[in-house]
């Protein structure tokens, strides 16, 4: 059996005539009893654990019952049955004997922890069985590394996947509580921010459900990103407190800990090998969170790393001397690595902390993966088989350091050659790209990385040298301009000297050109000397190449002038005027592409942009590496559990609940789309969800809204490219036009709407925070305008997270996915909304393109410029040819009139004005798309007035959403990238 098995003891809460309480009887007669009983066991010939004896401690003090002999229990819980009485006893047991609260009372928050720990017992046992079996058959396993896992609440998801919802609901009812009320006590795990983390969590659900052998790796953030408060000044950030009362789902593995090193230096030992010594060392300790599959025993693992230092690092002498801060400094430096998600990186300290986070994730995870490979392989270990047993997926560029870290482990610690290690690394690692935004393609300061991770920089430099040689070999030297271009774009480290053998290719040509004019450089020795002088002067002057500059940095093309400049630089006669030396930067995305065997985008349009634009040079170089894997979301959490009203309708009309696992069955709804009976049921379910949301909004924001109004929702991270600003400007335009009408005209012209926003702006993203402030100011004005009443409401829901989404999405009728075309990689909330019978308004961006294809063009409200037009539109703007629409200018003037308070919005609106420059020129084309957006919103109103037409569109959205299950996405990853197969437990 696996050495990671988790056992505990059970204690009955009420003695019975035969010596066992109901709880104990439940535990002894079910497979889960292994989780509670103190076991004395021996190995059978088949290697399985056979229970020999167990004892149960009575509630009566100092009394132990005689041991009883137990037979091997059934491996199928369904054969035992799970009744409410036994579950209630289990919950009572944990309330008393797994205490996180004082013993008095049994209130909802205490009940949540006791219930969660009761459910966790089943998960632990299934987890143990899953990984014991994987170990025994030594199956290939995928490891998914992500800085974010946005899980949401786990209780309802866990009991739903285990098919225990009924027994647990009945058990809690017998204890005087409702399952829903108990579940609502659970805080959202603050392990992510947006779509990146939610996607990762959906993938884990699908991996478990589909029986794929896999693990997730992340960091155990104490405070996550932040908790968002909305005040009169807009967004305010406070520390997230999700761990204050503990996390009942996690299992600390104090025996699973790995050293992680920073700083220090690299030396060459007598054996000729490079060794990283000295520096600062911390320990990464594993916390495991079981992830159950739906209707399967397979339970996979999310392993989160927490950071600390050994007790020996506590400076007791300094503490006793009164130097308390100094004494605790090592602990603080270690622990702060996992304090928060994405610490601000405006300072060098912030940058260092972020890089430490990324390396901690990579180093601890890879050490763990390597240790598991070695343990599973035993005496048969063969490093060449590593890629046949391990697949590592990097979710975005945050885990890029996996590449040099795996190389370091294989070369420095395991003794492999460079060639062997590089082959293994490239065959093992793969990269998912999530952005086309240049600023989001991670780069790290070479100097910072060299200081923090000196050995890794050496390895990256060697990878870079090999890449440069490969580029030269492929493109040759006959067309040096082409070669310059390829090197500039594809190099991993920018603004660093090329290897001498390559740089001389260009320098010799330049010096020869100068020599032809002056007749001075005739011999090879003179040529070599001039070349060396030129290279020296180039480095001292900070002449660096870039994609759009000549390679030697000399702008004059006249030969005589070029010769004079060479002479001037070499003689150091005059200090030339050059721009500041550009910093050396490590391009993490380039390293991902070079170091892995697969690169995938997350939607068809995004993957094409990746191939044809963002990484076109790499695509030409390695076309076989590039793939598309359109994102998906789990239909368990995002329909089955969060929207039971809709789920029941789907099961009724499809005649089965198989759609939860086989979402292609949703397409069969299309034949019922015109049925009056289905439409009536459909509308009733939507209204019921809207009524639930009305209560939630009142509780959370204080605003009362009309459930008969259209619920129009945009929830996502606040960012200029996602264009919440376009949405709120459209609302302002609507409001202004309403104010210019009589009450009767308003009612006739406009459908009542509740416009709901949610999302967090990053703490240092000033413009995004201005957008939040503006939305809340507009809402405060409109919501208190008696002329408007229930015809228009604007609500900003604070602290948007998964649990809030589970309330908003089922109640939504129109959802806005309106990013500038070509800038959203995929999006996943659009999929969730479509699944939940919501109609989308959006641009042809990200997964919108494919959603529109699947649900039907007539069932999607489309507006705006297309991706291929964006470059031309920005150029037109820069040339001063853009003429803004009158309605757009009208809206800005209305805002500046003070209609929404005295706050000065010049900086916000200024970003939409001018023709070019940072923070100017309307880079995200809000003004360009504004008239198209307003016209499209008028079509929305017109359609909503026809309930039958709207409901039909709504049904067809759910029917067409079948493609966007994360199950389909995971099947594709498993087949095309990881080469893993499902493994069902015996």
């Amino acid at each position: 059996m696996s050495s990671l098995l988790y056992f505990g003891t059970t204690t009955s809460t009420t003695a019975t005539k035969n010596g066992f309480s109901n709880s104990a009887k439940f535990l002894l007669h079910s497979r889960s009893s292994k989780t509670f009983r103190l076991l004395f066991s021996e190995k059978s010939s088949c290697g399985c654990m056979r229970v020999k004896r167990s004892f149960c401690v009575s509630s009566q003090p100092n009394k132990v019952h005689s041991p009883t002999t137990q037979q091997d229990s059934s491996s199928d819980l369904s054969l035992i049955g799970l009744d409410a009485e036994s579950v209630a006893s289990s919950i009572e047991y944990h309330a008393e004997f797994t205490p996180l609260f004082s013993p008095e009372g049994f209130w909802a928050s205490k009940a949540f922890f006791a219930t969660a720990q009761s459910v966790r017992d089943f998960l632990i046992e299934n987890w143990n069985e899953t990984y014991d079996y994987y170990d025994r058959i030594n199956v290939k396993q995928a490891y998914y590394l992500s800085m974010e896992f946005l899980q949401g609440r786990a209780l309802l998801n866990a009991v739903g996947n285990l098919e225990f919802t009924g027994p647990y609901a009945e058990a809690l009812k017998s204890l005087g509580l409702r399952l829903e009320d108990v579940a609502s006590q659970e805080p959202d795990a603050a392990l992510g921010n947006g779509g990146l983390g939610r996607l990762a969590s959906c993938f884990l659900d699908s991996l478990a459900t589909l029986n794929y052998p896999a693990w997730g790796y992340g960091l155990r953030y104490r405070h996550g990103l932040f908790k968002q408060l909305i005040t009169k000044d807009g967004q305010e950030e406070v520390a997230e407190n999700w761990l204050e009362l503990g996390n009942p789902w996690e299992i600390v593995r104090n025996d699973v800990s790995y050293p992680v090193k920073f700083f220090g230096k690299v030396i060459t030992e007598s054996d000729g090998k490079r060794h990283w010594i000295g520096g600062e060392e911390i320990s990464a300790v594993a916390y495991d969170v079981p992830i159950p599959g739906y209707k399967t025993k397979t339970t996979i693992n999310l392993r989160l790393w927490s950071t600390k230092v050994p007790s020996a690092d506590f400076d007791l002498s300094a503490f006793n001397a009164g130097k308390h801060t100094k004494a605790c400094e090592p602990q603080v430096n270690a622990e702060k690595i996992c304090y928060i998600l994405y610490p601000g990186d405006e300072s060098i300290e912030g940058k260092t902390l972020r890089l430490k986070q990324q390396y901690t994730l990579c180093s601890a995870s890879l050490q763990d993966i390597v240790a598991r490979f070695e343990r599973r392989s035993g005496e048969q270990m063969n490093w060449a088989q590593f890629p046949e047993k391990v697949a590592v997926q990097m979710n975005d560029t945050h885990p890029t350091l996996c590449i040099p870290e795996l190389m370091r482990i294989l070369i420095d610690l395991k003794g492999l050659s460079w060639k062997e290690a590089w082959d293994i690394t490239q065959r093992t690692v793969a990269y998912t790209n999530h952005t086309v935004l240049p600023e989001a393609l991670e780069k790290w300061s070479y100097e910072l990385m060299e200081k923090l991770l000196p050995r890794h920089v050496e390895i990256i430099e060697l990878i870079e040298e090999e890449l440069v040689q490969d580029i030269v070999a492929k493109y040759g030297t006959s067309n040096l301009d082409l070669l310059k271009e390829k090197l500039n774009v594809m190099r991993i480290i920018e603004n660093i000297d090329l290897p001498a053998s390559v740089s001389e290719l260009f320098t010799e040509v330049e010096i020869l050109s100068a020599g032809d004019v002056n007749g001075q450089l005739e011999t090879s020795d003179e040529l070599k000397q001039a070349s060396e002088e030129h290279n020296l002067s180039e480095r001292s002057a900070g002449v660096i190449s870039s994609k759009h500059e000549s390679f030697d940095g000399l702008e004059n093309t006249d030969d005589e002038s070029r010769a004079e400049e060479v002479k001037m630089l070499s003689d150091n006669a005059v200090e030339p005027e050059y721009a500041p030396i550009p910093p050396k930067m490590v391009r993490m995305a380039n390293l991902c592409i070079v170091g892995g065997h697969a690169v995938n985008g997350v939607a068809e349009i995004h993957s094409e942009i990746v191939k044809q634009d963002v990484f076109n040079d790499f695509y030409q170089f390695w076309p076989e590496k590039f793939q598309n894997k359109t994102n998906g979301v789990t239909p368990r959490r995002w329909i089955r559990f969060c929207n039971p009203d809709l789920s029941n309708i789907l099961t009724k009309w499809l005649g089965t609940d198989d759609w939860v696992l086989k979402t292609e069955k949703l397409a069969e709804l299309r034949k019922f789309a015109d049925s009056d009976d289905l439409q009536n049921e459909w509308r009733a379910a939507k209204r019921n969800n809207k009524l639930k949301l009305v209560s939630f909004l009142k509780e959370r924001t204080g605003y009362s809204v009309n459930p008969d109004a259209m619920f129009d929702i945009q929830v996502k991270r606040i960012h200029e490219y996602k264009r919440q600003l376009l949405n709120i400007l459209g609302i302002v335009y609507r409001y202004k036009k309403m104010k210019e009408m009589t009450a009767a005209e308003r009612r006739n012209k406009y459908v009542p709407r509740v416009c709901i926003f949610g999302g967090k702006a990053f703490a240092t993203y000033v413009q995004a925070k201005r957008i939040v402030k503006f939305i809340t100011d507009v809402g405060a004005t409109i919501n208190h305008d008696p002329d408007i009443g229930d015809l228009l409401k604007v609500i900003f829901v604070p602290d948007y997270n998964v649990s809030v989404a589970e309330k908003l999405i089922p109640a939504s009728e129109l959802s806005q996915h309106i990013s500038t075309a070509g800038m959203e990689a995929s999006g996943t909330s659009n999929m969730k909304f479509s699944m939940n019978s919501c109609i989308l308004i959006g641009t042809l961006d990200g997964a919108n393109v494919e959603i529109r294809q699947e649900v039907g063009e007539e069932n999607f409200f489309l507006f705006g410029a297309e991706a291929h037009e964006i470059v031309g539109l920005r150029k037109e703007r820069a040339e001063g040819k853009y003429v803004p629409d009158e309605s757009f200018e009208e809206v800005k003037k209305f805002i500046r009139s003070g209609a929404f308070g005295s706050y000065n919005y010049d900086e916000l609106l200024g970003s939409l004005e001018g023709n070019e420059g940072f923070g100017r020129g309307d880079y995200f084309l809000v003004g360009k798309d504004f008239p198209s957006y307003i016209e499209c919103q008028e079509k929305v109103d017109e359609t909503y007035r026809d309930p039958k037409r709207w409901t039909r569109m709504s049904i067809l959205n759910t029917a067409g959403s079948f493609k966007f299950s994360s199950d389909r996405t995971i099947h594709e990853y498993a087949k095309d990238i990881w080469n893993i197969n499902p493994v069902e437990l015996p």
Side-chain angles (χ1 to χ4, degrees):
M1 288 284 280
S2 166
S3 62
L4 297 177
L5 290 178
Y6 174 91
F7 294 118
T9 61
T10 186
T11 310
S12 63
T13 58
T14 306
T16 65
K17 63 182 180 181
N18 65 358
F20 296 107
S21 68
N22 286 335
S23 178
K25 286 190 290 184
F26 161 68
L27 298 169
L28 290 170
H29 288 87
S30 76
R31 186 165 136 257
S32 67
S33 62
K34 288 187 292 183
T35 313
F36 287 96
R37 292 176 298 169
L38 183 61
L39 299 178
F40 298 89
S41 45
E42 64 181 5
K43 287 259 184 148
S44 69
S45 59
C46 66
C48 302
M49 300 293 283
R50 179 174 296 158
V51 176
K52 292 182 66 179
R53 290 176 173 269
S54 67
F55 66 81
C56 179
V57 183
S58 169
S59 61
Q60 301 175 30
N62 303 320
K63 182 176 180 181
V64 179
H65 294 286
S66 299
T68 59
T69 302
Q70 296 293 320
Q71 301 295 322
D72 287 348
S73 56
S74 169
S75 63
D76 188 349
L77 285 167
S78 64
L79 298 179
I80 303 161
L82 189 67
D83 62 273
E85 182 183 4
S86 298
V87 171
S89 296
S90 173
I91 294 171
E92 287 179 309
Y93 162 78
H94 279 292
E96 184 171 355
F97 291 98
T98 315
L100 288 168
F101 297 87
S102 57
E104 300 85 6
F106 188 67
W107 57 94
S109 55
K110 183 176 181 179
F112 159 67
F113 277 87
T115 303
Q117 286 158 334
S118 171
V119 175
R120 191 186 73 169
D121 294 332
F122 292 103
L123 301 184
I124 289 172
E125 185 190 357
N126 286 347
W127 188 98
N128 286 335
E129 288 201 19
T130 300
Y131 282 96
D132 176 57
Y133 187 60
Y134 290 173
D135 280 355
R136 282 192 282 122
I137 65 175
N138 194 14
V139 65
K140 182 174 184 179
Q141 187 167 321
Y143 298 94
Y144 197 82
L145 273 64
S146 178
M147 288 294 285
E148 297 186 42
F149 286 93
L150 197 57
Q151 294 174 286
R153 292 171 175 162
L155 179 56
L156 291 181
N157 191 73
V159 297
N161 276 2
L162 291 169
E163 299 184 276
F164 290 173
T165 302
Y168 271 88
E170 291 178 31
L172 286 167
K173 184 178 180 181
S174 72
L175 297 172
L177 295 166
R178 296 172 65 247
L179 174 59
E180 292 78 9
D181 295 334
V182 171
S184 70
Q185 301 299 308
E186 180 177 4
D188 277 40
L191 299 172
N193 175 33
L196 185 80
R198 186 53 239 168
L199 178 76
S201 292
C202 284
F203 281 1
L204 293 186
D205 177 273
S206 287
L207 284 163
T209 296
L210 301 174
N211 300 304
Y212 281 112
W215 265 13
Y217 281 108
L219 296 182
R220 182 179 178 267
Y221 304 108
R222 182 181 300 180
H223 300 296
L225 188 67
F226 57 80
K227 182 173 286 186
Q228 181 193 52
L229 304 179
I230 298 298
T231 69
K232 63 180 178 65
D233 297 318
Q235 173 179 294
E236 180 181 334
E237 305 92 22
V238 297
E240 174 61 63
N241 62 350
W242 77 287
L243 280 177
E244 279 192 358
L245 295 178
N247 178 9
W249 303 107
E250 68 185 13
I251 307 153
V252 60
R253 307 289 194 188
N254 286 313
D255 60 325
V256 181
S257 177
Y258 297 98
V260 179
K261 182 193 289 290
F262 307 109
F263 304 110
K265 62 181 179 179
V266 183
I267 62 170
T268 303
E269 296 283 11
S270 57
D271 59 5
K273 294 183 178 180
R274 302 288 282 168
H275 291 273
W276 185 14
I277 63 170
E280 168 190 318
E281 189 170 292
I282 64 166
S283 296
V285 180
Y287 284 72
D288 288 346
V289 180
I291 307 295
Y294 178 70
K295 291 188 176 183
T296 176
K297 288 190 297 182
T298 299
T299 300
I300 66 171
N301 189 38
L302 170 58
R303 176 157 284 180
L304 303 172
W305 300 108
S306 185
T307 46
K308 66 177 186 178
V309 292
S311 297
D313 286 3
F314 178 74
D315 192 338
L316 186 60
S317 298
F319 193 87
N320 287 332
K323 300 176 182 178
H324 303 150
T325 301
K326 180 178 182 298
C328 300
E329 188 174 345
Q331 281 87 345
V332 172
N333 284 338
E335 291 174 2
K336 72 182 180 182
I337 291 172
C338 291
Y339 275 170
I340 67 170
L341 170 66
Y342 303 141
D345 60 354
E346 298 298 311
S347 64
I348 186 62
E349 292 81 8
K351 290 180 172 65
T352 302
L353 185 56
R354 276 211 193 186
L355 193 55
K356 278 186 171 184
Q357 286 185 332
Q358 294 188 4
Y359 179 61
T360 298
L361 169 63
C362 296
S363 180
S365 302
L366 280 169
Q367 288 182 72
D368 195 42
I369 291 167
V370 167
R372 293 174 63 78
F373 170 75
E374 291 179 314
R375 178 170 57 80
R376 286 182 175 180
S377 299
E379 296 179 358
Q380 306 298 320
M381 194 181 68
N382 176 358
W383 284 108
Q385 293 297 309
F386 189 82
E388 305 304 321
K389 298 297 181 181
V390 172
V392 174
Q393 188 69 35
M394 300 182 296
N395 192 28
D396 214 345
T397 53
H398 306 127
T400 304
L401 290 169
C402 281
I403 294 167
E405 175 66 1
L406 182 55
M407 292 289 290
R408 182 189 72 85
I409 292 171
L410 295 175
I411 295 172
D412 295 0
L413 304 184
K414 304 303 176 182
L416 274 66
S417 69
W418 173 273
K419 183 178 180 181
E420 291 171 323
W422 186 231
D423 177 69
I424 290 169
T425 299
Q426 286 188 306
R427 291 167 56 205
T428 300
V429 176
Y431 160 54
T432 298
N433 173 273
H434 284 280
T435 186
V436 298
L437 296 175
E439 65 271 20
L441 291 174
E442 255 190 322
K443 296 181 183 180
W444 281 104
S445 163
Y446 175 91
E447 292 181 355
L448 171 61
M449 191 176 286
E450 187 177 39
K451 181 180 179 183
L452 190 71
L453 303 169
R455 179 57 176 144
H456 297 76
V457 168
E458 286 188 349
I459 292 170
I460 292 170
E461 287 176 334
L462 291 172
I463 295 172
E464 154 97 350
E465 286 186 17
E466 191 164 307
L467 171 65
V468 168
Q469 296 299 335
D470 288 345
I471 294 171
V472 173
K474 180 175 179 64
Y475 292 102
T477 58
S478 60
N479 186 341
L480 289 181
D481 288 337
L482 175 63
L483 184 58
K484 292 176 191 177
E485 180 75 11
K486 297 298 180 182
L487 288 169
N488 277 330
V489 172
M490 298 175 68
R491 292 184 67 188
I492 296 168
I493 309 174
E494 64 182 12
N495 302 327
I496 196 170
D497 291 337
L498 285 163
S501 60
V502 179
S503 62
E504 287 175 359
L505 293 173
F506 304 103
T507 305
E508 289 174 7
V509 170
E510 290 159 1
I511 301 304
L512 279 172
S513 177
D516 288 343
V517 173
N518 294 287
Q520 297 173 349
L521 305 177
E522 297 178 354
T523 69
S524 59
D525 289 340
E526 289 174 324
L527 175 61
K528 181 177 179 181
Q529 180 181 355
S531 175
E532 291 173 350
E533 289 175 349
H534 181 71
N535 287 337
L536 175 64
S537 64
E538 183 181 41
R539 288 193 294 273
S540 65
V543 179
I544 307 295
S545 63
S546 71
K547 184 172 181 179
H548 300 293
E549 296 173 337
S550 77
F551 205 70
D552 63 358
L554 304 178
E555 295 180 351
N556 291 327
T557 56
D558 176 75
D559 288 343
E560 186 172 353
S561 299
R562 287 170 67 86
E564 287 297 318
E565 287 191 67
V566 171
K567 186 175 187 300
M568 176 187 70
L569 287 170
S570 61
D571 292 342
N572 293 312
V574 180
E575 184 67 26
E577 294 184 6
Y578 287 101
I581 300 174
K584 301 174 184 177
M585 304 295 289
V586 181
R587 299 161 164 171
M588 305 305 270
N590 288 22
L591 179 55
C592 284
I593 297 170
V594 175
H597 66 90
V599 182
N600 71 278
V602 290
E604 287 179 0
I605 185 175
H606 169 237
S607 296
E608 284 305 306
I609 292 172
V610 164
K611 291 191 294 186
Q612 304 304 329
D613 184 13
V614 182
F615 298 122
N616 179 252
D617 297 275
F618 286 105
Y619 175 61
Q620 293 179 34
F621 204 84
W622 290 300
E624 69 282 359
K625 285 192 179 187
F626 287 80
Q627 302 183 21
N628 174 60
K629 296 289 173 281
T630 298
N631 282 342
V633 299
T634 167
R636 270 74 64 186
R637 181 180 289 270
W638 291 111
I639 310 181
R640 180 70 183 87
F641 303 144
C642 80
N643 198 343
D645 292 329
L646 178 61
S647 296
N648 292 336
I649 292 173
L650 296 176
T651 298
K652 173 186 173 182
W653 284 82
L654 296 175
T656 177
D657 66 355
D658 287 354
W659 60 267
V660 181
L661 286 170
K662 300 175 181 177
T663 52
E664 60 271 16
K665 289 185 177 293
L666 292 175
E668 296 177 20
L669 279 175
R670 290 169 174 156
K671 62 187 177 186
F672 306 119
D674 293 310
S675 167
D676 289 338
D677 290 340
L678 175 58
Q679 289 203 2
N680 289 335
E681 292 177 28
W682 203 266
R683 284 191 289 267
K686 181 65 71 174
R687 180 170 175 78
N688 191 37
N689 286 325
K690 290 172 71 175
L691 289 170
K692 293 177 186 176
L693 183 55
V694 168
S695 299
F696 172 78
L697 293 177
K698 177 66 176 177
E699 176 188 346
R700 182 64 69 93
T701 70
Y703 285 121
S704 297
V705 300
N706 176 15
D708 294 320
M710 179 200 299
F711 280 21
D712 173 354
I713 301 178
Q714 186 181 20
V715 283
K716 50 185 75 234
R717 178 167 50 94
I718 309 297
H719 196 292
E720 287 174 277
Y721 90 81
K722 294 179 184 289
R723 297 203 297 190
Q724 287 92 350
L725 186 54
L726 175 60
N727 186 350
I728 192 64
L729 290 176
I731 292 169
V732 169
Y733 182 80
R734 188 182 188 92
Y735 174 62
K736 183 177 184 297
K737 293 304 177 185
M738 284 181 177
K739 293 290 287 182
E740 295 168 356
M741 297 177 180
T742 65
E745 288 172 332
R746 283 194 290 270
R747 289 286 173 186
N748 184 59
K749 172 72 173 176
Y750 293 105
V751 166
R753 284 206 201 194
V754 178
C755 301
I756 302 171
F757 293 84
K760 296 178 180 180
F762 192 68
T764 58
Y765 190 174
V766 176
Q767 192 74 334
K769 294 178 76 170
R770 289 188 184 120
I771 293 171
V772 174
K773 164 69 172 167
F774 182 51
I775 292 169
T776 56
D777 282 354
V778 171
T781 299
I782 293 176
N783 297 344
H784 294 97
D785 190 330
D787 292 340
I788 301 303
D790 285 341
L791 198 55
L792 183 61
K793 296 290 185 185
V794 179
I795 313 290
F796 193 101
V797 181
D799 205 37
Y800 177 68
N801 57 21
V802 175
S803 296
V804 174
E806 289 171 340
K807 294 179 174 64
L808 292 175
I809 292 174
S812 62
E813 294 175 287
L814 181 74
S815 181
Q816 307 219 20
H817 303 273
I818 56 178
S819 52
T820 310
M823 305 203 75
E824 182 75 87
S826 168
T828 53
S829 66
N830 46 8
M831 302 170 185
K832 298 164 195 168
F833 279 102
S834 187
M835 281 183 173
N836 282 273
S837 69
C838 180
I839 303 171
L840 310 188
I841 179 172
T843 54
L844 284 178
D845 195 29
N848 283 0
V849 177
E850 292 163 80
I851 291 174
R852 182 168 174 263
Q853 290 170 353
E854 297 298 331
V855 305
E857 295 179 4
E858 68 281 7
N859 301 309
F860 185 105
F861 293 107
L862 177 67
F863 76 95
E866 297 185 26
H868 68 273
E869 301 176 280
I870 301 302
V871 172
L873 290 170
R874 288 186 179 136
K875 181 181 179 183
E876 177 185 84
R877 183 79 181 233
E879 293 171 351
K881 298 176 181 178
Y882 169 70
V883 179
D885 187 82
E886 291 182 4
S887 61
F888 187 61
E889 295 302 297
E890 181 183 347
V891 166
K892 291 190 294 179
K893 183 177 179 181
F894 183 54
I895 295 166
R896 285 187 166 121
S897 72
F900 303 104
S902 59
Y903 186 85
N904 187 338
Y905 284 107
D906 283 346
E907 291 290 340
L908 177 64
L909 299 178
S911 69
L912 308 175
E913 298 171 336
N915 291 324
E916 57 184 338
F918 181 76
R920 304 278 293 178
D922 192 11
Y923 184 80
F924 300 101
L925 304 181
V926 174
K928 175 65 181 178
D929 281 351
F930 186 78
S932 174
Y933 177 70
I934 296 300
E935 181 182 354
C936 193
Q937 288 285 15
E938 291 173 356
K939 293 178 183 176
V940 171
D941 275 12
E942 177 187 346
T943 307
Y944 195 77
R945 291 184 188 278
D946 183 347
K948 187 170 180 65
R949 179 184 173 193
W950 185 275
T951 306
R952 184 179 190 276
M953 292 173 67
S954 172
I955 293 169
L956 291 173
N957 264 267
T958 298
S961 67
F962 66 89
K963 173 183 176 179
F964 304 101
S965 166
S966 51
D967 295 351
R968 185 264 315 151
T969 313
I970 285 301
H971 277 312
E972 293 178 4
Y973 272 101
K975 176 178 177 290
D976 301 334
I977 296 179
W978 303 332
N979 191 28
I980 61 173
N981 297 305
V983 176
E984 293 192 31
L985 272 63

